[in-house]
Amino acid sequence: MFKCIYNGEKEKTAGKNAFGATIKKMVAADPKVVYLDADLMNSIGTFGLDKDYPDQIVEVGIQEANMIGVAAGMSAAGMKPVAHTFGSFAGRRVFDQAFMSVAYAKNNVVIIGSDSGINAAYNGGTHMPFEDICLYRAVPEATVIDATDSAMLASILPGLVERKGLNYVRICRKNCVAVYSEDSTFEVGKANVLRDGKDVVIIAAGYMVSESLKAAEMLAKEGIDAAVIDMWTIKPLDEAVVLEYAKKCGAVVTAENGNVVGGLGAAVAEVLGEKLPTPMSMVGVRDRFGQVGTVDFLAEQYGLTAEKVVEEVKKTIARK
Amino acid sequence: MLTPLKKLALQIRIAQLEEFKARGFGHVGGALSITDCLAALYGEIMNIDPKNPGWEDRDRLVMSKGHAGPALYATLAIKGYFPMEMLKTLNANGTHLPSHCDKNLTPGIDMTTGSLGQGASTAAGLALGLKAQKKDARVYLILGDGESQEGQVWEMALFAPQHKLNNFIAFLDNNKRQLDGYTSDICSIEPVDEKFKAFGWYTLRIDGSDPDKIVEAVNDAKANQGDKPAMIILDTVKGAGVKAIEDTKLNHHLNVGEEALGYIADLKAKLTE
């Protein structure tokens, strides 16, 4: 069960600290859990864990492709690997290794891509993954997750190492806007209805969940009753909830921190197009590259704001 | 007088030619060149149980040059992992014997390979995972020479000595040719033995056409590799054991027709010499 605590404030715990603490708990609890990193441990809260767990913490160095292959091999040897690098590399740089050595070979690996979308901020366009969700959605049987906040990340990570195949999770290293209480629990593949409504449903993931909740509050002041769904598992998509709310509201707006090409909006559109054509709009990066800037600046640049969600909601409702 | 391993190598060549002939084509050159190594591995070196392919403490082989799968399938069938008759299903629709090795389809295949370079890392991961669990099993890896143009091989070549993977023995099937021609003309990997030495591997370079010498080299590696991974460069001939195929310059992938019956007859004659 989850509890939504959204009030617009940020979490006290940075994503990287929650991640590091969770990995520490996992390796301590299970000798088969192994953590691999490609020279980014000091950026993600796992630095120094190798001193206490030398057989379970593998610093691979700057060789992401090798890291994913090693993780796949460790899975085949009976271990439960979690491999981290920045989302830009966790997607496009290792895609063939993730596809063949992990997914096709049916090895079980959790791949963590940090700095989701505009959260890459000052690392800029070279490091800004807008394409990772699209890439991993195209891998058969993969699980694709955009973690909403640190509370969710800490809750779901221990269970993911027990899942079969390729599990990709994009995360934010910084302090997210708090959406969930720390004792919340989640079920992979099951979306969370954070706010009920009848006029429109906003289906969001990751960074855009809190923006969508903010948008719903703005819309309420104008008499528009918006439902907000956190579609944190983008694959397998919770089709039942998409169809239920599309039918109930008659208008759908998706919101994601990445390219709309092949992302969450595309996943929702695929379901609606085949089963329940419904007026919809996608808030997300409209097929552009990233750039350097603050998260707020980038959100304005790419239209990843509550205001943009409100605008698209009104347009979509007008098409009913 | 044939030694048991040389006899096994002949049997593997005969079985794989029958396998290729049943389909009519295949990656013949690089399958034949690694046959003597497979005879050494499955005839003597590896600690395996064909009746229990999933045995947790078994030695593993990663055929990173996954297109040599048919040579490995012939070896596994001879060892009893599955019926010899199954070899005739190579690449047939719905087969358990695909062009490239697939651990989820074929009993005895320890890792899925095919996209070159990737078996290097999965083999290193297997070795590291077994060590982390204090298991004594060893991991063997077969790389191609053309495959060693892939950057991932050299990422792993740095990684394995760093992690002291001394339960890890790799072979490089240095058959000198790749799909488009001679490796030395396309993107030379030589002096490949010196490269691996420089990367921190216990490295040997031997004639790869003699399975008994391959066993000796593996015993040398086990005795002397210390805390290093071992690399055994096998100088081989692409298409080894069938003169007409050896003499075909571009022999990576060939049609295999009635002429194979003659090759098989010649190999069978050698078996009884």
Side-chain angles (χ1 to χ4, degrees):
Chain A
M1 288 292 288
F2 66 87
K3 184 179 168 196
C4 181
I5 59 166
Y6 171 79
N7 62 6
E9 288 180 12
K10 292 203 168 183
E11 289 186 305
K12 291 186 184 71
T13 309
K16 66 176 185 178
N17 295 334
F19 181 74
T22 307
I23 292 292
K24 186 176 181 180
K25 271 187 209 165
M26 289 165 66
V27 294
D30 183 349
K32 287 192 184 294
V33 172
V34 60
Y35 173 79
L36 302 95
D37 205 304
D39 195 37
L40 289 173
M41 291 207 254
N42 205 16
S43 301
I44 197 68
T46 51
F47 189 73
L49 286 182
D50 56 322
K51 288 182 181 60
D52 289 333
Y53 307 97
D55 290 336
Q56 291 170 269
I57 303 293
V58 184
E59 172 64 274
V60 178
I62 306 168
Q63 34 178 241
E64 295 83 4
N66 183 48
M67 174 174 74
I68 298 302
V70 167
M74 295 192 88
S75 165
M79 306 289 280
K80 301 173 184 175
V82 178
H84 163 258
T85 182
F86 285 150
S88 42
F89 315 130
R92 60 190 198 240
R93 190 173 185 102
V94 306
F95 190 64
D96 190 30
Q97 286 73 22
F99 187 99
M100 192 196 83
S101 290
V102 180
Y104 180 77
K106 298 193 189 301
N107 289 312
N108 313 317
V109 179
V110 179
I111 299 176
I112 304 290
S114 61
D115 280 5
S116 46
I118 59 172
N119 288 313
Y122 296 117
N123 271 334
T126 56
H127 285 55
M128 200 161 286
F130 290 157
E131 68 292 327
D132 52 337
I133 298 294
C134 173
L135 287 169
Y136 279 115
R137 276 192 67 227
V139 178
E141 301 171 20
T143 298
V144 182
I145 290 171
D146 193 347
T148 310
D149 64 9
S150 300
M152 173 188 279
L153 177 64
S155 174
I156 63 173
L157 205 47
L160 290 178
V161 295
E162 308 297 338
R163 277 179 73 80
K164 298 290 182 196
L166 191 162
N167 292 272
Y168 177 71
V169 190
R170 71 197 315 241
I171 70 173
C172 173
R173 284 191 287 158
K174 306 179 182 87
N175 296 71
C176 309
V177 173
V179 173
Y180 295 107
S181 67
E182 289 193 357
D183 59 354
S184 290
T185 58
F186 306 88
E187 185 183 335
V188 174
K190 189 156 175 48
N192 296 336
V193 179
L194 299 181
R195 181 184 173 115
D196 211 345
K198 64 178 189 323
D199 297 330
V200 64
V201 57
I202 305 166
I203 301 174
Y207 173 86
M208 290 307 291
V209 172
S210 57
E211 289 298 312
S212 299
L213 288 165
K214 184 177 167 190
E217 289 177 355
M218 293 159 70
L219 288 161
K221 288 177 186 158
E222 299 185 46
I224 297 171
D225 187 12
V228 177
I229 293 174
D230 181 359
M231 191 62 77
W232 60 281
T233 310
I234 296 170
K235 186 179 179 180
L237 192 79
D238 188 344
E239 290 191 15
V241 81
V242 171
L243 293 170
E244 179 192 342
Y245 274 82
K247 189 174 180 186
K248 176 174 165 182
C249 301
V252 177
V253 172
T254 58
E256 62 195 299
N257 174 17
N259 199 338
V260 295
V261 175
L264 169 66
V268 170
E270 286 161 14
V271 173
L272 294 178
E274 283 193 336
K275 296 182 179 169
L276 187 66
T278 306
M280 78 168 279
S281 174
M282 295 184 283
V283 173
V285 179
R286 306 301 291 205
D287 211 18
R288 291 169 62 193
F289 291 111
Q291 61 184 302
V292 166
T294 62
V295 171
D296 289 347
F297 168 80
L298 295 166
E300 286 294 334
Q301 280 288 309
Y302 297 102
L304 308 184
T305 60
E307 290 74 15
K308 178 68 175 170
V309 173
V310 167
E311 183 187 324
E312 292 300 323
V313 162
K314 289 179 182 172
K315 281 189 205 165
T316 311
I317 287 175
R319 288 166 51 213
K320 274 196 196 184
Chain B
M1 188 66 184
L2 285 175
T3 64
L5 292 182
K6 288 190 177 72
K7 191 176 163 191
L8 175 59
L10 280 171
Q11 289 169 330
I12 297 169
R13 285 194 165 85
I14 292 164
Q16 70 183 278
L17 285 169
E18 287 172 343
E19 189 183 3
F20 283 127
K21 185 176 175 303
R23 180 85 331 250
F25 54 82
H27 294 103
V28 180
L32 284 167
S33 65
I34 199 59
T35 296
D36 300 291
C37 180
L38 292 171
L41 284 169
Y42 286 85
E44 184 153 338
I45 296 166
M46 287 174 71
N47 185 24
I48 49 172
D49 178 3
K51 291 190 180 59
N52 186 9
W55 176 36
E56 279 189 10
D57 294 326
R58 73 189 185 282
D59 288 346
R60 269 79 162 176
L61 172 68
V62 177
M63 177 68 86
S64 192
K65 41 175 277 181
H67 54 277
L72 181 50
Y73 305 153
T75 310
L76 294 172
I78 290 168
K79 292 300 290 183
Y81 281 85
F82 47 81
M84 291 293 287
E85 196 62 21
M86 202 167 116
L87 291 176
K88 290 185 180 156
T89 70
L90 177 71
N91 277 335
N93 294 337
T95 188
H96 283 266
L97 302 180
S99 206
H100 300 84
C101 296
D102 189 323
K103 75 179 171 72
N104 298 302
L105 284 178
T106 315
I109 295 293
D110 292 317
M111 185 53 72
T112 299
T113 53
S115 179
L116 294 175
Q118 294 199 28
S121 302
T122 50
L126 273 166
L128 187 61
L130 292 168
K131 271 181 92 80
Q133 296 170 89
K134 319 286 185 217
K135 289 187 182 292
D136 292 330
R138 285 177 184 273
V139 178
Y140 297 92
L141 163 68
I142 294 173
L143 292 167
D145 54 350
E147 177 181 22
S148 299
Q149 292 161 351
E150 289 279 5
Q152 189 172 354
V153 170
W154 299 98
E155 290 186 2
M156 184 286 287
L158 288 169
F159 175 88
Q162 179 74 33
H163 291 271
K164 299 184 168 51
L165 297 183
N166 58 358
N167 58 344
F168 189 28
I169 296 180
F171 301 94
L172 196 151
D173 181 14
N174 197 28
N175 63 27
K176 322 291 190 295
R177 278 180 269 183
Q178 55 191 107
L179 194 147
D180 276 346
Y182 288 96
T183 305
S184 58
D185 292 335
I186 292 169
C187 184
S188 177
I189 62 167
E190 295 291 0
V192 69
D193 47 350
E194 290 178 28
K195 289 185 172 80
F196 274 96
K197 267 182 209 162
F199 274 61
W201 291 61
Y202 181 74
T203 307
L204 299 168
R205 184 163 190 155
I206 62 166
D207 169 10
S209 69
D210 183 339
D212 296 292
K213 285 186 182 163
I214 294 170
V215 171
E216 282 175 27
V218 168
N219 288 336
D220 175 340
K222 285 180 181 173
N224 297 307
Q225 70 187 116
D227 63 2
K228 295 178 178 178
M231 167 56 74
I232 302 173
I233 311 291
L234 302 171
D235 278 313
T236 57
V237 173
K238 195 153 182 167
V242 180
K243 184 74 167 51
I245 297 175
E246 290 179 14
D247 291 345
T248 303
K249 187 183 170 193
L250 295 176
N251 65 4
H252 182 76
H253 188 279
L254 294 174
N255 290 327
V256 182
E258 293 303 309
E259 72 282 4
L261 295 176
Y263 309 154
I264 291 166
D266 290 347
L267 292 165
K268 283 185 174 169
K270 284 185 188 167
L271 261 183
T272 54
E273 272 172 14

